[in-house]
Amino acid sequence: MTVSVIQETLNPYEIAQQQVDAAAALLNLPEHISNVLKRPMRVLTVNFPIKMDDGSVRVFEGYRSQHNDAIGPTKGGIRFHPDVTLDEVKALSMWMSFKCGVVGLPYGGGKGGVICNPREHSKGELERISRGFMEAIAAFVGPHKDIPAPDVYTNAQTMGWMMDTYSKLAGVNSPGVITGKPLILGGSKGRNEATAQGCVYTILASLEDMGKTASEATVAIQGFGNAGRIAARLLDEAGCKVVAVSDSKGGIYDPNGLDLAKVGELKDNASILDYGKEFHISNEALLELDVTVLIPAALENVITSANAAAIKATIVAEAANGPTTPEADRVLTEKGIIVIPDVLANAGGVTVSYFEWVQNLMNYYWSEEEVLEKLEVIMINSYKEVRDLAKEYNVNLRKAAYMIAIKRISAAMEARGWV
C-alpha cells in the first residue's frame, strides 16, 4: 500500500490560494470565481537605479501586486526587506483583499515591496530608494486606483517621501495617494496605533466570550516592532499581564509580568536582551509558553506543523500577516485553540488607513477620539459577524472570515458582470 504524504508549504502565495479554496468550497462557489480570486489581476516588477552615498549606482528591484478591485481601489502596504519575494507580495495583496472584505471597506487588496536591507542604508539612501520606487510605480497607483501604506521597515517618513514624489509627478498635491503619512502631510490621528488597537479590541472581545476578564489573562508577544510594542502597552493598560516579548535578536520572559516601560527604553537605546540574562528566551520557546494570549506580531510562517502541537495559548491573535500555515491552523483548531486570523486581528491598520483616505478626500480631519470610536465599532462588529458565522457553519474563525470576505468580493464581481 502506498501512503501519500502531503508536504507542508511555506510559500505564502500557495497558502493564500489554499485558504481561498477552503472558503469557496464552504460557500459552494463556482470554480471559475475561486480561480479569479486565487490570482492577482495585475503584478508589476520594477528595477530602478539609485545613487548611493559613496557615489556608486545600485539597481533595486521592487514589486507591486493589485489583487482585485471589484469593490474599490486596491490598498496595501509597501515593505522594505531583504527577503521580499514576488510570491510573498502576491499573497499579501490577496490577504489585503480579504482583510478589507471582512471589515467591509470599499477596497481591494494591494501590496508592494523593495528588496533591500534598511539597516544597511543611510537616511539619505532610504529617501532616494523611497522616491525611486514611487517614480517607478507612479503610473499604476493613485487616490482612486491603488493606495499604498507603511509595512515592514517602512514608516510615516517613508510615506511622506513617496507622497511628495507622486504629487510632484502629478503636478498637484495628492495626499490621498498614500496613507500612514505624517500628520502634517494629511496623516490621520490614531493611525500609528491602529493595527495594535484593532487587535486588542478583538482579543478583549474573545476573552469576554470566554467569560474571562483582562486581569485574568497572561500575554506573550513575538515581535516587538510597532504593532507588538503598542499591543503590549494597550493590553497592559487594559489589565492583562504581559509576561514575554521578543524581537529579531531574541526574547525575554518573566512569569510575574514584564516592566514594559523598562523594556521600551531598552528597545529604543540598546537591546531588550539587556533586561537580564535570567529572563532570556528564544523566539521559538516564546511561542510555546503556557499563556492565555499569544500574539505573533513578526513575519510569516512562525507557527507551522513543526511547533503547532506545542502551542499552549488559549487564544492566538495574529497581529502579523500569515504567521500560521494551514497545516498548523488545523492542529490548533483540533486542540481547541481560538485563532483570531490575521485578516481580522490586524485589520485595524487598514481601517484607519481608510479613515485617513476619506479625510484626505474631504480635506476635513477628525479627532483621535472620533477615529478610535469608529475603529472600535468596526472591529467589534466584524469580530461578532465572524464569530457568529463560525458557529453557524461549525468552522474556525479563519474560514468564517474568508467566507465573509469572499462572498462580498464575488458579489461585487457578479454585479459588475465579470463572472
Side-chain angles (χ1 to χ4, degrees):
M1 182 179 67
T2 302
V3 179
S4 62
V5 179
I6 299 175
Q7 295 293 327
E8 180 177 33
T9 178
L10 299 182
N11 181 299
Y13 185 41
E14 294 176 9
I15 289 173
Q17 291 180 319
Q18 288 180 26
Q19 292 166 336
V20 171
D21 281 335
L26 289 166
L27 291 168
N28 294 315
L29 282 183
E31 186 177 357
H32 65 274
I33 294 180
S34 61
N35 283 339
V36 172
L37 293 172
K38 284 164 64 176
R39 297 167 178 83
M41 64 179 186
R42 186 180 301 109
V43 181
L44 178 67
T45 299
V46 297
N47 290 277
F48 54 98
I50 296 297
K51 189 171 184 178
M52 310 305 286
D53 290 346
D54 63 5
S56 64
V57 175
R58 179 174 164 186
V59 177
F60 289 84
E61 184 168 332
Y63 311 108
R64 186 69 185 174
S65 176
Q66 298 166 347
H67 174 242
N68 188 292
D69 62 359
I71 290 180
T74 51
K75 179 87 186 71
I78 293 173
R79 58 178 52 184
F80 287 177
H81 197 278
D83 298 328
V84 167
T85 68
L86 186 55
D87 275 358
E88 176 192 52
V89 170
K90 289 193 289 186
L92 289 165
S93 72
M94 292 172 66
W95 285 325
M96 279 300 302
S97 280
F98 307 134
K99 193 176 300 184
C100 294
V102 168
V103 293
L105 302 181
Y107 286 143
K111 208 73 177 185
V114 176
I115 303 172
C116 69
N117 187 347
R119 296 176 180 176
E120 296 177 352
H121 298 292
S122 66
K123 183 177 180 180
E125 288 176 343
L126 289 173
E127 177 177 355
R128 293 192 290 277
I129 294 169
S130 302
R131 292 183 183 276
F133 183 58
M134 176 52 78
E135 288 179 4
I137 67 170
F140 296 86
V141 302
H144 300 286
K145 293 167 64 176
D146 182 18
I147 304 109
D151 200 80
V152 176
Y153 291 132
T154 57
N155 54 29
Q157 179 61 79
T158 316
M159 297 304 105
W161 291 326
M162 289 186 178
M163 187 278 286
D164 180 64
T165 299
Y166 181 88
S167 296
K168 288 177 178 176
L169 293 170
V172 61
N173 188 44
S174 301
V177 70
I178 291 274
T179 60
K181 305 179 295 296
L183 285 175
I184 194 65
L185 297 181
S188 175
K189 292 178 180 176
R191 175 61 185 88
N192 187 54
E193 299 82 10
T195 300
Q197 183 69 74
C199 188
V200 168
Y201 286 143
T202 64
I203 290 169
L204 296 178
S206 185
L207 288 171
E208 184 178 348
D209 281 347
M210 296 169 55
K212 285 182 173 288
T213 64
S215 60
E216 297 176 89
T218 55
V219 182
I221 302 174
Q222 191 209 38
F224 203 61
N226 186 62
R229 181 172 179 171
I230 295 172
R233 174 176 59 79
L234 293 173
L235 287 167
D236 179 70
E237 290 173 356
C240 298
K241 183 190 292 183
V242 180
V243 297
V245 301
S246 68
D247 61 16
S248 59
K249 297 177 182 177
I252 50 176
Y253 168 58
D254 182 350
N256 296 314
L258 295 170
D259 180 345
L260 292 177
K262 180 180 178 181
V263 177
E265 184 178 348
L266 290 171
K267 178 68 175 177
D268 290 337
N269 299 299
S271 167
I272 65 171
L273 298 181
D274 292 333
Y275 197 83
K277 288 185 179 180
E278 67 272 27
F279 300 106
H280 287 187
I281 188 172
S282 68
N283 269 289
E284 294 75 20
L286 181 146
L287 293 170
E288 300 173 8
L289 288 173
D290 189 1
V291 292
T292 313
V293 181
L294 170 64
I295 304 177
L299 295 172
E300 301 88 11
N301 299 328
V302 297
I303 301 177
T304 69
S305 60
N307 63 359
I311 302 296
K312 302 178 185 67
T314 306
I315 298 169
V316 174
E318 297 180 336
N321 290 310
T324 309
T325 66
E327 287 76 8
D329 205 35
R330 284 191 283 272
V331 173
L332 298 182
T333 299
E334 289 170 1
K335 292 183 66 176
I337 294 172
I338 298 167
V339 179
I340 307 175
D342 49 2
V343 292
L344 173 61
N346 68 43
V350 71
T351 300
V352 176
S353 277
Y354 166 64
F355 296 163
E356 180 176 333
W357 179 71
V358 169
Q359 292 170 82
N360 292 158
L361 296 183
M362 294 190 302
N363 200 26
Y364 174 75
Y365 293 86
W366 308 334
S367 68
E368 184 171 357
E369 291 73 21
E370 187 172 0
V371 169
L372 293 179
E373 286 174 7
K374 293 178 186 295
L375 174 63
E376 183 174 15
V377 169
I378 287 177
M379 293 303 299
I380 297 300
N381 287 346
S382 298
Y383 168 81
K384 290 179 178 178
E385 186 177 6
V386 171
R387 177 202 62 193
D388 292 347
L389 190 70
K391 290 180 180 178
E392 179 183 345
Y393 280 82
N394 192 29
V395 296
N396 63 21
L397 296 180
R398 190 185 313 281
K399 286 183 179 177
Y402 271 74
M403 290 168 70
I404 290 169
I406 287 173
K407 190 174 182 180
R408 285 173 175 160
I409 298 169
S410 60
M413 292 195 296
E414 290 176 10
R416 287 177 178 269
W418 292 2
V419 292

